[in-house]
Amino acid sequence: IKKAIKIAKQSDKDKRILLRGMGELLDEARIIQELRNSFDTQKEQLSKIQPDIETLKANQKAINDKLIEAHKNLKAERQADDMAAALSSLIQHGEHVGLENGHCPLCRAERSIDEFSAGLDAARTRLHQLGGKVETAKGIVSELTKQLSDSAEKLSKYESGVEKIVAMENKLCGREANHVQMALHNKAGKTILPVLNDPMKLEQALLRERSELIEIERNLLTLETSQAS
């Protein structure tokens, strides 16, 4: 009986060590499953918007090219606006002074009253063509700048998401590798490896081992009672 009790106690000890290790493996399996679910969800979300991102990248160059042209146009309009201001000053001066002894006060050329008036009218027409486009040009630059900024922000968020996914995958792979090593150091390592990534099946295996522990403890109690009597 003493020998049987000794064997039963050793079995009890070994089974408890086994169960402790399996419990740790089960806890880790649940954590890994949560990480895997989160990883799969985020990866799927990124894959859904990837076509839009590719289109966005293609459109970015077009927007940038338009913005370069818009800046050139704004510069030209500002120059035209400066010319308009100078022309307006000349017109006002001409209107105020009028002909001086049959000569234009601006260029000193000999002109009749009709010719001088026609010249001022032509200058006013030119003034109307030159002025008033700067604000429109500025609006175009502002709108294109906003489009480019919005596009860059979306791309930045997407790229951040990709980096996060890569980091999550590396972490997950590392954790899974460590999980396998934990299992191999467990007494039931080889038998539980097939269910290592399935917390539900791993828990069922653990429950079977607990049932065996209960049976071992029952047998040990019976042996000890028998010895005492």
Side-chain angles (χ1 to χ4, degrees), residues 214-226:
I214 291 170
E215 187 62 28
I216 290 171
E217 289 178 337
R218 186 182 292 118
N219 291 336
L220 179 58
L221 180 61
T222 301
L223 287 169
E224 288 176 337
T225 303
S226 177

Side-chain angles (χ1 to χ4, degrees), residues 136-149:
T136 300
K138 284 170 69 176
I140 293 172
V141 168
S142 177
E143 176 60 27
L144 288 171
T145 300
K146 184 178 182 303
Q147 288 180 22
L148 200 60
S149 175

Side-chain angles (χ1 to χ4, degrees), residues 23-202:
E24 292 172 355
L25 287 170
L26 177 58
D27 290 341
E28 185 65 10
R30 286 169 175 161
I31 292 171
I32 288 174
Q33 187 179 59
E34 288 178 6
L35 288 172
R36 171 63 66 182
N37 291 341
S38 177
F39 170 77
D40 290 342
T41 299
Q42 293 190 46
K43 189 175 181 180
E44 184 181 2
Q45 289 173 347
L46 281 178
S47 66
K48 285 180 180 179
I49 65 171
Q50 189 174 6
D52 295 334
I53 294 300
E54 293 303 321
T55 301
L56 198 63
K57 286 179 179 178
N59 289 342
Q60 239 190 349
K61 184 180 183 306
I63 295 172
N64 193 56
D65 290 343
K66 287 180 181 179
L67 183 58
I68 290 171
E69 289 303 313
H71 275 295
K72 289 179 181 178
N73 184 56
L74 176 59
K75 182 179 179 180
E77 290 301 334
R78 281 175 170 158
Q79 289 173 343
D81 209 46
D82 291 341
M83 288 176 60
L87 186 56
S88 176
S89 178
L90 287 174
I91 292 170
Q92 289 176 7
H93 179 68
E95 288 175 335
H96 177 70
V97 175
L99 285 175
E100 294 179 335
N101 298 320
H103 291 79
C104 174
L106 304 175
C107 64
R108 306 310 301 168
E110 188 175 339
R111 293 288 184 267
S112 67
I113 292 177
D114 290 340
E115 288 173 336
F116 182 64
S117 296
L120 289 176
D121 288 340
R124 291 189 193 95
T125 300
R126 179 59 177 155
L127 177 62
H128 179 70
Q129 293 171 346
L130 286 174
K133 295 182 182 179
V134 171
E135 290 305 315
T136 300
K138 284 170 69 176
I140 293 172
V141 168
S142 177
E143 176 60 27
L144 288 171
T145 300
K146 184 178 182 303
Q147 288 180 22
L148 200 60
S149 175
D150 290 346
S151 175
E153 185 178 353
K154 287 178 183 177
L155 282 175
S156 177
K157 285 182 179 178
Y158 175 77
E159 287 164 1
S160 239
V162 170
E163 289 176 3
K164 185 178 178 182
I165 281 293
V166 170
M168 284 180 69
E169 187 170 28
N170 290 337
K171 180 180 179 181
L172 189 57
C173 289
R175 198 141 191 172
E176 286 174 339
N178 288 336
H179 195 210
V180 171
Q181 290 301 314
M182 284 173 65
L184 291 174
H185 284 86
N186 189 282
K187 288 184 178 294
K190 291 182 180 180
T191 59
I192 61 176
L193 276 177
V195 299
L196 190 61
N197 295 322
D198 188 333
M200 187 176 293
K201 290 182 179 179
L202 189 55

